[in-house]
Amino acid sequence: MSDTLNGVTLKSACERDQRDPLAPFKHHFALPEGMLYLDGNSLGAQPLAARKAVGATLDQWRDELIKGWNQGWFDAPERLGNLLAPVIGAQSGEVCVTDNITLNIFKLLGYITGQAPLERRIVLSEGGNFPTDGYIAQGFCQQSGFEHRFLPENALLAEHLDGVAVVVLSQVNYRTGQLRDMEATTRLIHEYGAEVIWDLAHSAGALPVHLNASGARFAVGCTYKYLNGGPGAPAFLYVHESVQNGGWQPLSGWHGHAAPFAFDADYAPAGDISRFRTGTHSALAYTALEASLELWAEVDMNALREKSLAMTNLFRECLADLFDARGIEDITPAARQRGSQVSLIDNDNGYAIVQALIARGVIGDYREPGLMRFGFTPLYLSFEDVWQAARHFREVVESGEFKDPAFSVRSAVT
Ligand SMILES: *Cc1c(COP(=O)(O)O)cnc(C)c1O
């Protein structure tokens, strides 16, 4: 085994770990022995504190039963929202942890279009985005009589904003890792008299997000990817404080009522971010997420960004000669326009290469068509991990290991 990959030595990677201010965070995560996990952009790793916290909540359920709702369970959506707010550049009272992204987009679409001028009847979502954002926009339009349109991929946004009430955009594209300029884009959309819902699925916890400073009024995101909240962890929704009193959101359930326990016949929305709640949530799921968010409170987001870019660069540097030789296309955007992932295209062998890597314990994922996706999570990956993952990638490709027919069998979740 060589200890140099395209001129990058293992020793140089290990030296970077010694200088890394975020290195101690790795000890706060439970990571399976021998696994190199480059899929934290799909499901984040487990913080050690999550197991303890969920255990304590199980005890609380056993010992306190219904009283638990007055012991922190009921207020969790707002309390966790306030913990999350600094990570995404928001203020206390502007973030509610609730439901999932799909439902939160629906709620915001209804809330925003309920106040839209009559001549604005179009809901625009992005071609090439994660499909649920478009699906739910279409579902909303079926119900509401608004017209759904796709913004073609790579189209100029300004040419598609006439008559638009609201646009749904991802800050970081899930396939390419392309990062949008949130401030300039928000300004442009507002100048055209429309609103934008930012989807932070691949940016929250991946890089510093500046919602307030960018002029953003609405955003959604999930917590099970870079934020390590656990499988099916509740999502979040952000509404700028200045636009929180605009009327109903369409999923007007009892937890979003001004007085949930008055049991009034008629709905009246809460006067703050709580109006975006719907119904009863899972106390256990919130507990696991809260343990993770307490860890995030300690993270220097600028250091996180610096390490993320250094890791994605290191991985690509170790393999650049191989990509050239094998016709693998590296579509990872330039540093300033990049999320926290490396995106590689190989239409013929991409799926099999990812499967062969998984068999070696190097976990990335595959997205049609041809895309190999590797997420880099600065809290629990070291530079040595990155170097070793690159070594496996090189060995899998150079040896032809991926050609084993077993690696071409498709499973349900890729
Ligand atoms: C992961 C992801 C989602 C997931 O939506 P859920 O409703 O939380 O399952 C939505 N949008 C984008 C852009 C994503 O990457």
Side-chain angles (χ1 to χ4, degrees):
M1 184 186 102
S2 156
D3 66 353
T4 301
L5 302 172
N6 194 28
V8 183
T9 63
L10 174 58
K11 186 160 167 279
S12 70
C14 295
E15 281 165 4
R16 294 180 89 149
D17 285 325
Q18 311 222 306
R19 298 193 300 268
D20 171 18
L22 297 177
F25 280 98
K26 195 176 169 78
H27 306 301
H28 292 281
F29 288 88
L31 296 162
E33 192 64 40
M35 185 189 282
L36 294 170
Y37 192 65
L38 304 183
D39 212 8
N41 51 336
S42 283
L43 176 64
Q46 184 182 114
L48 293 174
R51 168 177 289 273
K52 223 173 129 198
V54 171
T57 302
L58 281 169
D59 292 350
Q60 192 183 14
W61 170 26
R62 180 194 61 207
D63 299 337
E64 307 289 331
L65 285 157
I66 193 75
K67 289 187 285 179
W69 285 107
N70 280 324
Q71 297 170 351
W73 299 351
F74 190 79
D75 301 333
E78 293 80 15
R79 185 176 68 251
L80 272 61
N82 290 342
L83 268 175
L84 176 56
V87 179
I88 52 176
Q91 302 292 314
S92 280
E94 292 183 327
V95 181
C96 183
V97 171
T98 179
D99 296 323
N100 54 41
I101 288 186
T102 309
L103 291 174
N104 287 338
I105 291 175
F106 188 90
K107 286 185 271 186
L108 287 181
L109 285 174
Y111 183 73
I112 294 167
T113 56
Q115 306 164 64
L118 281 177
E119 69 277 12
R120 294 184 176 275
R121 304 301 293 171
I122 297 166
V123 172
L124 196 63
S125 72
E126 270 176 294
N129 193 8
F130 191 91
T132 204
D133 298 43
Y135 296 165
I136 198 65
Q138 290 175 333
F140 174 78
C141 289
Q142 288 275 333
Q143 295 295 315
S144 63
F146 275 74
E147 179 192 342
H148 174 259
R149 285 191 196 163
F150 277 117
L151 172 70
E153 227 172 325
N154 304 320
L156 217 55
L157 185 58
E159 290 172 2
H160 295 265
L161 289 173
D162 283 345
V164 168
V166 51
V167 190
V168 185
L169 292 178
S170 276
Q171 189 182 10
V172 172
N173 182 282
Y174 81 110
R175 283 180 56 80
T176 61
Q178 185 77 35
L179 169 67
R180 279 187 190 273
D181 181 335
M182 179 183 272
E183 187 178 356
T185 308
T186 300
R187 195 184 322 117
L188 174 80
I189 292 169
H190 288 173
E191 275 167 12
Y192 276 80
E195 287 291 352
V196 51
I197 301 170
W198 285 102
D199 186 331
L200 310 182
H202 290 273
S203 47
L207 46 100
V209 177
H210 305 290
L211 284 171
N212 281 177
S214 302
R217 296 185 185 126
F218 303 99
V220 298
C222 59
T223 66
Y224 53 80
K225 294 174 181 165
Y226 287 96
L227 290 169
N228 311 317
F236 65 87
L237 168 157
Y238 154 88
V239 179
H240 187 266
E241 170 259 308
S242 65
V243 287
Q244 285 183 4
N245 272 298
W248 287 27
Q249 56 93 350
L251 301 183
S252 46
W254 69 302
H255 279 213
H257 194 280
F261 288 90
F263 294 103
D264 290 340
D266 287 320
Y267 181 76
D272 54 20
I273 194 74
S274 301
R275 82 177 57 196
F276 295 95
R277 292 169 65 150
T278 52
T280 309
H281 53 269
S282 159
L284 290 168
Y286 278 69
T287 296
L289 174 59
E290 187 162 16
S292 177
L293 291 177
E294 282 167 359
L295 208 55
W296 278 101
E298 312 287 315
V299 177
D300 173 343
M301 295 304 288
N302 292 321
L304 182 97
R305 178 62 168 161
E306 201 178 309
K307 183 174 176 184
S308 154
L309 291 176
M311 287 194 305
T312 46
N313 283 338
L314 176 66
F315 188 71
R316 297 161 69 225
E317 216 178 297
C318 290
L319 296 170
D321 61 323
L322 181 79
F323 296 159
D324 287 347
R326 300 289 171 144
I328 295 170
E329 192 186 353
D330 181 359
I331 62 162
T332 310
R336 286 175 54 206
Q337 299 171 32
R338 186 186 309 161
S340 196
Q341 71 185 60
V342 168
S343 304
L344 307 172
I345 302 275
D346 182 333
N347 284 309
D348 298 329
N349 303 316
Y351 182 83
I353 292 172
V354 169
Q355 299 315 307
L357 283 168
I358 291 172
R360 283 172 169 244
V362 182
I363 316 296
D365 65 19
Y366 176 83
R367 291 288 178 267
E368 291 291 355
L371 177 75
M372 296 180 271
R373 211 173 56 147
F374 301 98
F376 290 82
T377 48
L379 295 194
Y380 53 83
L381 280 179
S382 65
F383 288 98
E384 183 181 358
D385 291 337
V386 174
W387 191 94
Q388 295 291 2
R391 176 178 64 82
H392 284 292
F393 190 104
R394 179 179 292 274
E395 288 175 5
V396 158
V397 172
E398 284 182 341
S399 68
E401 192 172 310
F402 66 90
K403 291 178 187 156
D404 185 325
F407 296 137
S408 294
V409 179
R410 303 280 168 139
S411 34
V413 177
T414 57

